[in-house]
């Protein structure tokens, strides 16, 4: 007999996991959160996601789903009478999915090197990250959120930047999202951080900062 | 096409591209008429550059003047715009839909990347690694087909769906790979369900209508090869990477 209810297998510092929590909380869904030690993954996680063994995994009435962007769409479809996450119009949906893919594939790849680059190499990777984010920023033009007036799918997907990027900047000493270079994104950061579900789920800044400092030192000394 | 407005559909494409083929398969399956515009990727049209300024890549679907990019996104868009017309590409049940999206993503992240590496890898070692990763991915997809099809011929069940098209778009290049490199991507000895699936897929009228000519594609692949290993690999990888 499949167990009823919703479980999220996550890790407190993971931005991919937080997307799932935002989606569930927007819908008012009660769920059990299981924090994983990624260095010692639980049997349950390995059983529910044997292919990639990654978090987040959503378990709904015993059935697992992996990949955060896919989980978010699933949540929107299952709890379809709740807060609308995806845009209603098919063309807008296509745009939202396009930018989500662009952010996850191109922007994340451009941001990661900023975390570890030092000295002269840093300004080059910062510039590339900014170019990527400037392209993404175009989707914000004339809007409060990527979703328009309200926090929507693309905000759920990239909203993590608002909390994590300033930490990456502090840890690496780089300046990426500035008033001069990315004014729309900077203003959007403030709006994101004021959203209720965001405020209620963000990992504590000092804890996240300490973790990322340690991780960076580890990577640089490897 | 259902709905009001001019309903004009254009598809910007490049005939060797497996991603463009995916879009054509979906349009063919849904029975949509559209204007196909062949792009010269060495000399991209103004329409392409303005329709997809971010990646400047094909396929691009232009519906009533509005562009949709990325094959996986085009397929979902077509399915949503034409809900109720022809077979549904995505399953009804939300969990099955999530699984379909998962496998589509897996095909792109694992299989496509590995296959690209078998053609465009800079060294023989890289190409061999690509071959191994591709074989592993195909093995995993054999299990996925078993789960999704529930005994029917396709990932979508009785008729082809989203995952079938995402994978089926790669079949022309799989044939080329067999001719040029002697490697069967869907080997009946290793992955019998997928081998049968690829045969079944190939017999469908909607598929036959849009499959590129394999002989022509082999010639295209061979033209990419002989100008020195590094240049050829770069050209082949660039041609495939220029499309999505």
């Amino acid at each position: 007999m499949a167990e009823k209810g919703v479980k999220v297998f996550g890790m407190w510092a993971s931005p991919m996991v937080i997307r799932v929590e935002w989606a569930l909380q927007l819908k008012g869904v009660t769920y059990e959160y299981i924090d994983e030690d990624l260095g010692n993954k639980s049997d349950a996680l390995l059983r529910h996601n044997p292919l990639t063994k990654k978090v987040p995994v959503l378990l709904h009435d015993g059935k697992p789903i992996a990949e955060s962007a896919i989980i978010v769409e699933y949540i929107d479809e299952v709890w379809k009478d709740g807060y609308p996450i995806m845009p209603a119009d098919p063309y807008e949906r296509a745009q939202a999915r396009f930018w989500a893919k662009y952010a996850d594939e191109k922007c994340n790849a451009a941001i990661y090197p900023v975390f570890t680059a030092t000295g002269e190499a840093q300004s080059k990777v910062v510039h590339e990250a900014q170019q990527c984010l400037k392209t993404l920023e175009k989707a914000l033009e004339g809007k409060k959120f990527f979703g328009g007036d309200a926090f929507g799918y693309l905000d759920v997907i990239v909203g993590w930047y608002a909390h994590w990027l300033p930490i990456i900047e502090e840890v690496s000493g780089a300046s990426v999202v500035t008033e001069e270079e990315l004014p729309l994104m900077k203003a959007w950061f403030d709006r994101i951080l004021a959203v209720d579900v965001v405020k209620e789920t963000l990992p504590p800044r000092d804890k996240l900062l300490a973790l990322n400092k340690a991780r960076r030192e580890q990577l640089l000394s490897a | 096409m259902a709905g009001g407005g001019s309903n004009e559909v254009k598809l910007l494409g490049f005939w060797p591209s497996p991603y463009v083929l995916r879009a054509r398969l979906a349009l063919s399956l849904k029975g949509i008429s559209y204007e196909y515009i062949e792009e010269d990727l060495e000399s991209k049209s103004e329409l392409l550059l303005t329709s997809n300024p971010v990646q400047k890549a094909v396929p691009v679907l232009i519906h009533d003047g509005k562009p949709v990019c990325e094959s996986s996104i085009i397929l979902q868009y077509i399915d949503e715009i034409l809900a109720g017309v022809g077979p549904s590409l995505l399953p009804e049940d939300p969990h099955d839909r999530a699984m379909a999206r998962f496998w589509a993503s897996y095909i792109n992240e694992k299989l496509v990347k590995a296959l690209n590496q078998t053609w465009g890898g800079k060294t023989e070692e890289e190409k061999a690694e690509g071959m191994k990763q591709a074989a592993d991915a195909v093995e995993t997809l054999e299990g996925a087909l078993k789960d999704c099809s529930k005994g029917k011929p396709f990932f979508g069940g009785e008729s082809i769906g989203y995952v079938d098209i995402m994978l089926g778009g790669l079949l022309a290049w799989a044939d080329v790979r067999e001719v040029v490199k002697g490697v069967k991507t869907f080997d009946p000895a290793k992955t019998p369900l997928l081998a049968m699936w690829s045969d079944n897929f190939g017999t469908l009228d909607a598929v036959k209508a849009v499959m590129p000519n394999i002989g022509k594609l082999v010639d295209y692949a061979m033209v990419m090869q002989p100008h020195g290993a590094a240049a050829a690999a770069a050209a082949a990888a660039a041609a495939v990477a220029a499309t999505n």
Side-chain angles (χ1 to χ4, degrees):
Chain A
M1 183 75 192
E3 51 176 303
K4 289 260 160 213
V6 181
K7 279 187 188 174
V8 175
F9 292 84
M11 188 268 176
W12 68 270
S14 163
M16 306 295 120
V17 170
I18 214 136
R19 294 168 171 179
V20 174
E21 293 207 83
W22 289 351
L24 288 168
Q25 294 204 15
L26 283 170
K27 298 284 189 181
V29 174
T30 318
Y31 60 97
E32 184 190 342
Y33 179 83
I34 294 146
D35 200 51
E36 288 283 331
D37 171 0
L38 298 183
N40 183 21
K41 293 173 181 177
S42 71
D43 287 340
L45 173 61
L46 298 175
R47 194 170 10 106
H48 293 309
N49 187 9
L51 197 56
T52 68
K53 307 175 176 55
K54 288 185 186 176
V55 291
V57 173
L58 182 82
L59 196 68
H60 182 207
D61 292 346
K63 290 202 213 171
I65 299 175
E67 296 293 315
S68 57
I70 292 173
I71 296 171
V72 171
E73 285 215 46
Y74 173 82
I75 289 167
D76 197 41
E77 287 172 12
V78 170
W79 288 278
K80 56 186 182 303
D81 296 330
Y83 185 97
I85 297 176
M86 290 293 283
D89 173 67
Y91 184 73
E92 295 304 315
R93 292 157 76 87
Q95 294 307 299
R97 286 176 180 137
F98 175 85
W99 288 118
K101 198 164 191 263
Y102 179 79
D104 275 357
E105 287 175 8
K106 301 287 190 292
C107 295
N108 287 6
I111 288 165
Y112 188 75
V114 173
F115 186 61
T116 51
T118 53
E120 283 160 28
Q122 196 184 72
S123 56
K124 181 169 185 284
V125 298
V126 165
H127 178 77
E128 276 167 26
Q130 286 173 331
Q131 290 307 111
C132 229
L133 292 172
K134 279 180 185 187
T135 302
L136 179 62
E137 197 188 45
K138 293 194 179 113
L140 263 180
E141 274 164 19
K143 302 193 285 190
K144 282 170 66 176
F145 293 100
F146 283 104
D149 285 333
F151 184 72
Y153 174 73
L154 190 51
D155 303 282
V156 171
I157 296 298
V158 299
W160 68 276
Y161 292 164
H163 191 56
W164 269 261
L165 280 186
I167 286 173
I168 290 171
E169 287 172 339
E170 193 176 322
V171 161
S172 65
S175 259
V176 181
V177 181
T178 63
E179 192 64 53
E180 300 76 39
E181 297 294 329
L182 291 152
L184 298 182
M185 194 154 274
K186 199 144 174 52
W188 169 79
F189 275 15
D190 291 338
R191 286 181 220 117
I192 288 289
L193 295 173
V195 171
D196 285 337
V197 300
V198 172
K199 285 193 290 193
E200 277 146 37
T201 51
L202 285 182
R205 195 180 195 277
D206 51 355
K207 212 177 156 196
L208 197 58
L209 186 65
L211 177 74
N212 280 288
K213 267 198 178 133
R215 199 177 270 161
R216 185 171 187 266
E217 275 164 28
Q218 200 181 35
L219 286 167
L220 289 178
S221 65
Chain B
M1 289 206 12
S6 71
N7 281 320
E8 193 194 50
V9 182
K10 294 184 187 180
L11 182 72
L12 307 183
F14 178 60
W15 72 269
S17 161
Y19 315 109
V20 171
L21 183 54
R22 286 169 173 172
R24 299 200 75 176
L25 286 164
L27 290 164
S28 179
L29 191 68
K30 290 283 198 178
I32 304 172
S33 28
Y34 60 100
E35 184 191 348
Y36 177 77
I37 298 165
E38 181 70 28
E39 284 285 333
D40 173 1
L41 296 183
E42 314 251 312
S43 172
K44 293 172 183 177
S45 73
E46 200 50 44
L47 183 58
L48 174 56
L49 296 175
T50 52
S51 302
N52 188 0
V54 176
Q55 295 146 332
K56 307 174 176 54
V58 289
V60 180
L61 184 84
I62 305 178
H63 179 207
D64 288 344
K66 296 193 290 187
V68 179
C69 309
E70 293 279 339
S71 58
S72 62
I73 295 173
I74 291 170
L75 261 45
Q76 292 180 79
Y77 177 77
I78 289 169
D79 203 33
E80 289 171 17
I81 283 284
L82 288 166
V85 174
S88 193
L89 296 184
L90 276 138
E92 285 295 312
D93 173 71
H95 186 264
D96 292 343
R97 289 163 75 86
M99 288 316 296
R101 289 184 174 126
F102 178 85
W103 289 120
S105 171
Y106 181 83
I107 287 164
N108 273 358
E109 288 306 303
K110 294 284 184 273
L111 182 58
V112 169
K113 285 207 168 106
L115 288 172
N116 285 353
Q117 200 169 308
T118 68
W119 290 102
K122 294 186 193 73
T123 62
E124 287 310 308
E125 287 77 23
E126 262 191 50
K127 289 186 186 184
E129 180 60 26
M131 264 193 67
K132 182 189 175 299
Q133 301 277 3
D136 288 347
V138 172
E139 212 183 293
T140 300
L141 288 167
E142 176 84 351
L145 178 56
K146 193 160 179 233
D147 290 341
C148 295
S149 64
K150 309 192 223 288
K152 304 269 162 56
F154 301 110
F155 286 92
E158 288 291 355
S159 58
I160 63 174
Y162 180 57
V163 179
D164 298 285
I165 295 176
M166 289 296 281
L167 190 58
L170 311 181
L171 283 174
W173 274 94
D175 286 348
V176 172
R177 193 175 172 218
E178 194 175 345
V179 170
V180 173
K181 293 176 186 257
V183 177
K184 272 192 203 299
T185 304
F186 303 111
D187 188 338
K190 296 182 186 152
T191 53
L193 292 178
L194 278 170
M196 209 155 53
W197 167 86
S198 71
D199 288 342
N200 287 331
F201 191 89
T203 60
L204 298 170
D205 288 337
V207 170
K208 286 197 278 198
V210 294
M211 269 301 183
N213 179 283
I214 301 304
K216 234 180 125 185
L217 202 53
V218 167
D219 289 343
Y220 173 84
M222 296 308 279
V223 159
M224 295 284 126
Q225 301 285 325
H227 303 289
V240 176
T243 65
N244 58 293

